[in-house]
Amino acid sequence: MLKPKNKGLFLDVSDFSILAARTSGYTSPIVVEEIAEYVLSGSDDPETIRAFLEELVDFKGQGFFVSRCGVYPAGRFLFYHEVESVSKAKDLNFLAQVLESEFKINPAKNHVAILTAKDGADYDPKSGLDKKVIFCGGPEAAFLEEQKRLLEWGVYPERLELSTSTTLGGVSDYIEFNGVKSPVLCLELTLKCANVFIVNQGKIEVSRQLELGLDSIYPLLQRELGLKDESSARKLFMSNTFDFAEMGPKLLRRMTKELQATAGFYEVRTGLTIDHLFLGVLPKNLAWVEKTITSALALAVLRPNMEPWLETLGIKIGDGVEVSNLGARWTSVFSLMADFKERKAVEGE
């Protein structure tokens, strides 16, 4: 049995936490009534998570609460590609071949969406003249696994979105809204991989995936501190009991070198200078990661000023909800609420 949608529930579920927001509903204008976070440990009891969600929205005695959710499925991808000609860009069979040959993604086993790189709109091969496209999605099995987990918590995902693309859409929109003229380096760092993007004035111009997630750091940390195994290293890494600021540059050396290479190649090719880093997803106890990377790359942090931006999207922050001190990672939840296309249409009138 589904709970009627008298309130809205938006969830962003990562390797690290559940970021949740209760709203007045799903139709603009939306009022954000409460926000909350549940820190995931990897061995969480579904009933405990359900109890956390029931403190936000009332679905006691009901089967499921209808929600809108963003997830980070294993094997997810978001690739930028410039097709060699408009005629080939209109051929979906050709685009499928590109996805398989260039990016090693089997369209038959993955949920795949094709977007235009300039604004993130759904790609229309019949009317579009765009050669620059975005392939995004993930394995069908991984999305089903995420859906199963949500259902165990009593959440029915009316809409299940790829947080990588949703958040990137929000960052791109904020860059345009805030008049950021220089390119922004965007980093999504999770346990298994890192997704790297360069966004210039709201448009994605570079995408790259690195097999350098946080899991790749634990062997080095184990050796540096003489710990008995990688499990101990991971536990210490994710705790709030050790200051990694001094050791950070050594732990993240491979990561910063890859980011420097990506940014440097882009700057040489375009003649533009990247000034900002946007780093989402990571929990507060890993704030030193952001400081280490921005110091190594000599970048400033892009931390969205949420409230004025959200107001232009028809999202109002309710009384008692404090967003001024929220980290950049909360961009993911608010981006789930937004209809960027509607505002662009209004602005274009």
Side-chain angles (χ1 to χ4, degrees):
M1 183 177 180
L2 301 180
K3 180 73 175 179
K5 295 181 291 184
N6 54 330
K7 294 291 182 181
L9 178 63
F10 293 87
L11 304 177
D12 182 79
V13 184
S14 69
D15 291 336
F16 313 106
S17 61
I18 303 169
L19 301 182
R22 185 187 74 237
T23 66
S24 56
Y26 293 116
T27 305
S28 183
I30 291 174
V31 178
V32 180
E33 299 178 344
E34 187 174 354
I35 59 175
E37 177 179 6
Y38 183 95
V39 178
L40 295 168
S41 67
S43 57
D44 303 276
D45 177 26
E47 288 303 316
T48 302
I49 296 177
R50 179 177 177 124
F52 159 75
L53 296 172
E54 285 178 344
E55 292 181 4
L56 281 176
V57 289
D58 176 23
F59 62 114
K60 294 181 179 68
Q62 305 291 332
F64 302 96
F65 194 92
V66 179
S67 309
R68 295 186 180 177
C69 309
V71 293
Y72 303 79
R76 67 192 179 279
F77 57 86
L78 193 154
F79 298 123
Y80 168 89
H81 184 72
E82 184 171 353
V83 187
E84 55 195 80
S85 68
V86 171
S87 60
K88 288 186 176 181
K90 291 184 176 182
D91 185 347
L92 290 179
N93 290 327
F94 175 79
L95 294 179
Q97 291 172 10
V98 168
L99 189 59
E100 195 155 11
S101 61
E102 294 288 331
F103 303 110
K104 312 306 178 186
I105 299 295
N106 184 349
K109 295 183 178 181
N110 287 266
H111 288 299
V112 181
I114 305 177
L115 312 174
T116 61
K118 69 177 182 180
D119 60 7
D122 293 333
Y123 181 69
D124 183 357
K126 294 181 179 179
S127 61
L129 298 176
D130 295 296
K131 296 192 298 179
K132 299 176 181 179
V133 299
I134 299 292
F135 297 107
C136 62
E140 293 180 1
F143 274 109
L144 285 173
E145 189 63 31
E146 295 291 346
Q147 180 174 285
K148 178 182 176 182
R149 182 162 62 151
L150 290 164
L151 292 173
E152 288 176 346
W153 300 341
V155 170
Y156 180 88
E158 176 191 57
R159 207 166 71 193
L160 187 64
E161 299 192 19
L162 180 68
S163 284
T164 305
S165 57
T166 303
T167 305
L168 200 57
V171 174
S172 299
D173 188 83
Y174 181 80
I175 287 170
E176 286 192 283
F177 159 78
N178 208 45
V180 178
K181 299 301 182 185
S182 59
V184 176
L185 182 67
C186 301
L187 176 61
E188 177 192 271
L189 179 57
T190 53
L191 295 180
K192 300 298 182 184
C193 71
N195 285 305
V196 185
F197 310 101
I198 297 176
V199 179
N200 183 26
Q201 297 188 45
K203 301 175 180 63
I204 298 171
E205 297 191 337
V206 171
S207 67
R208 188 182 177 200
Q209 190 170 83
L210 307 174
E211 294 184 4
L212 288 176
L214 294 182
D215 284 354
S216 68
I217 296 174
Y218 306 144
L220 175 59
L221 180 60
Q222 179 190 352
R223 292 194 300 270
E224 287 292 319
L225 297 181
L227 301 173
K228 63 179 181 179
D229 52 33
E230 289 184 21
S231 177
S232 299
R234 184 186 188 281
K235 186 176 181 180
L236 179 63
F237 187 87
M238 298 303 296
S239 73
N240 292 311
T241 59
F242 192 89
D243 185 0
F244 287 97
E246 185 175 341
M247 192 183 298
K250 182 177 288 187
L251 295 178
L252 296 176
R253 184 174 297 157
R254 289 177 63 200
M255 172 67 67
T256 53
K257 282 186 175 180
E258 292 290 348
L259 294 175
Q260 285 172 334
T262 300
F265 180 79
Y266 173 83
E267 290 179 335
V268 169
R269 178 172 62 84
T270 63
L272 302 173
T273 300
I274 298 172
D275 290 331
H276 293 88
L277 171 76
F278 174 89
L279 177 58
V281 188
L282 291 185
K284 290 185 292 185
N285 61 300
L286 296 182
W288 63 268
V289 172
E290 182 180 74
K291 294 178 182 178
T292 300
I293 293 175
T294 52
S295 178
L297 275 64
L299 298 176
V301 175
L302 180 71
R303 188 168 288 113
N305 184 8
M306 298 292 187
E307 192 160 3
W309 170 53
L310 293 174
E311 286 182 355
T312 67
L313 292 163
I315 302 169
K316 178 179 173 55
I317 303 302
D319 295 339
V321 179
E322 179 56 57
V323 298
S324 60
N325 295 320
L326 290 180
R329 63 201 178 108
W330 282 87
T331 306
S332 58
V333 178
F334 295 126
S335 295
L336 283 169
M337 304 176 193
D339 186 343
F340 304 119
K341 291 185 291 186
E342 181 178 332
R343 188 181 70 183
K344 289 178 184 295
V346 171
E347 290 175 348
E349 290 179 354

